[in-house]
């Protein structure tokens, strides 16, 4: 996808393929030029199709939306908010304050504003208040990379919140480019079993883990950015101060963007074929005979023995924090469920 400001003068005068109004985006793989209104509808239909394929948009369902403050979670939140009015499902936002100084404070303000403008209640969890230390300090004490610890902490707390809220899904803001980059990285490492988890949605495990939903599964990064801009949804332009300088996923994205320019449709074809082949990867994963287990400390999902979060916090903070986090989230869930 390219915006008209990125294209030539001839394309800059293009008209919307649907209504004839001035176009703001050209979608080469779909052979469409779209005005702001029809571009937003184009993205929302993609999100709706993904939700319908996994059975998510049903009346009364509760979806916990992970709102980071970035462009993807902003676009996802607004699209889901519109669809929730159509289908009658409930949205609850969750934002984690990681403790990265001014960056985290701006992320929190932006996430809360995005939720407020979409009429979505937002649960805010401060990692430092909940665990006694911010993410980068926990990582230093555990002698692990910040990104690794950050991912583990976020996955655990968001899943625990979803369990306590009795949510049907946790919506994550992974766009199509993220999925492509991560699955190609897994393939390069020949971790084929893990590709099975990279579909539009995972499955819930009763009492242990809530299904993960990826509404932006077919929405590219550029489409997500333009949707967030056109919808006037607040989002933070800054990058995380602990983001790696040149992660392999970023290099894959750059290569795929070049391929997309030369061969329009390569991304959407990849993502759709990936979804159609997930059963193959699930069979590979099943051959490992891994069975979900319950962490003896906190009672949530574990691959065996104590879960990764309880092991991490035991090592870095002197005690496993899983039970404490679950109690805190139970209290917040009770407040969220209480009528205003």
């Amino acid at each position: 996808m390219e915006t008209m400001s990125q294209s030539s003068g001839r394309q800059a005068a293009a008209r919307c393929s649907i209504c004839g109004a001035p176009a703001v985006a050209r979608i080469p793989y779909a052979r469409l030029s779209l005005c702001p209104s029809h571009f937003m509808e184009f993205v929302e239909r993609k999100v709706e199709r993904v939700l319908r394929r996994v059975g998510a948009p049903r009346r009364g369902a509760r979806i916990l939306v992970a709102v980071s403050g970035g462009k993807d979670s902003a676009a996802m939140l607004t699209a889901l908010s519109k669809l929730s009015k159509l289908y009658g499902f409930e949205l609850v936002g969750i934002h984690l304050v990681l403790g990265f100084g001014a960056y985290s404070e701006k992320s929190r303000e932006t996430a809360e504003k995005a939720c407020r403008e979409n009429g979505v209640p937002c649960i805010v969890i401060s990692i430092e208040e909940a665990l006694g230390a911010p993410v980068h300090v926990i990582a230093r004490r555990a002698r692990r990379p910040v990104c690794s610890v950050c991912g583990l902490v976020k996955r655990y707390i968001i899943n625990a919140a979803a369990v306590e809220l009795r949510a049907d899904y946790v919506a994550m803001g992974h766009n199509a480019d993220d999925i492509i980059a991560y699955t190609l990285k897994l393939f390069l490492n020949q971790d084929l079993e893990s590709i099975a988890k990279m579909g539009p949605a995972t499955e819930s495990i009763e009492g242990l883990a809530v299904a993960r939903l990826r509404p932006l599964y077919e929405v590219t990064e550029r489409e997500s950015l333009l949707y967030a801009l056109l919808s006037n949804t607040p989002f933070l332009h800054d990058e995380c101060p602990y983001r790696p300088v040149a992660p392999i996923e970023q290099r894959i994205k750059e290569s795929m963007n070049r391929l997309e320019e030369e061969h329009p449709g390569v991304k959407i074809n990849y993502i759709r074929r990936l979804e159609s082949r997930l059963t193959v990867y699930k069979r590979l994963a099943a051959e490992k005979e891994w069975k979900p287990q319950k962490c003896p400390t906190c009672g949530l999902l574990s691959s065996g023995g104590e879960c990764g979060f309880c092991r991490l916090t035991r090592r870095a903070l002197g005690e496993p924090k899983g039970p404490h986090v679950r109690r805190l989230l139970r209290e917040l869930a009770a407040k969220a469920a209480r009528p205003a």
Side-chain angles (χ1 to χ4, degrees), residues 255-320:
S255 297
M256 289 300 296
N257 282 335
R258 287 194 293 269
L259 276 174
E260 182 68 26
E261 290 175 5
E262 297 172 6
H263 306 280
V266 68
K267 288 184 183 180
I268 197 69
N269 287 337
Y270 178 99
I271 207 77
R272 288 174 177 171
R273 288 176 181 173
L274 171 67
E275 183 181 357
S276 70
R277 298 284 290 174
L278 285 175
T279 53
V280 175
Y281 294 111
K282 287 179 181 178
R283 284 200 296 269
L284 288 172
E287 289 174 2
K288 284 198 167 184
E289 297 183 349
W290 178 80
K291 293 183 179 179
Q293 297 183 43
K294 180 185 290 189
C295 174
T297 303
C298 70
L300 291 182
L301 187 65
S302 169
S303 59
E306 198 168 54
C307 71
F309 179 81
C310 286
R311 288 200 307 271
L312 169 71
T313 50
R314 183 189 294 277
R315 177 181 178 183
L317 304 174
E319 63 175 316

Side-chain angles (χ1 to χ4, degrees), residues 47 50-57 62-66 76 80 89 91 168-174 199-203 210-217:
V47 173
V50 167
L51 265 60
R52 287 174 64 87
R53 287 204 299 274
V54 301
R62 175 177 287 178
I63 299 177
L64 182 65
V65 186
M76 174 181 66
L80 287 177
F89 55 80
L91 299 177
D168 297 282
Y169 292 95
V170 172
M172 308 298 292
H174 304 135
T202 61
E203 296 180 0
V210 173
R212 297 249 167 157
L213 176 64
R214 300 183 177 97
L216 302 183
Y217 193 77

Side-chain angles (χ1 to χ4, degrees), residues 65-136:
V65 186
V67 186
S68 67
K71 67 182 187 310
D72 295 316
S73 66
M76 174 181 66
L77 179 68
T78 297
L80 287 177
S81 177
K82 291 185 178 183
L83 291 170
S84 71
K85 296 175 177 64
L86 176 64
Y87 286 98
F89 55 80
E90 178 190 359
L91 299 177
V92 178
I94 183 168
H95 176 75
L96 305 185
V97 182
L98 304 174
F100 297 159
Y103 170 80
S104 287
E105 287 306 311
K106 287 192 286 185
S107 295
R108 173 179 182 162
E109 292 171 4
T110 305
E112 288 184 308
K113 186 177 181 182
C115 285
R116 189 165 55 249
E117 292 188 3
N118 277 285
V120 175
C122 185
I123 295 172
V124 176
I125 307 291
S126 165
I127 301 301
E128 185 167 8
E129 292 177 9
L131 302 183
V135 166
H136 58 287

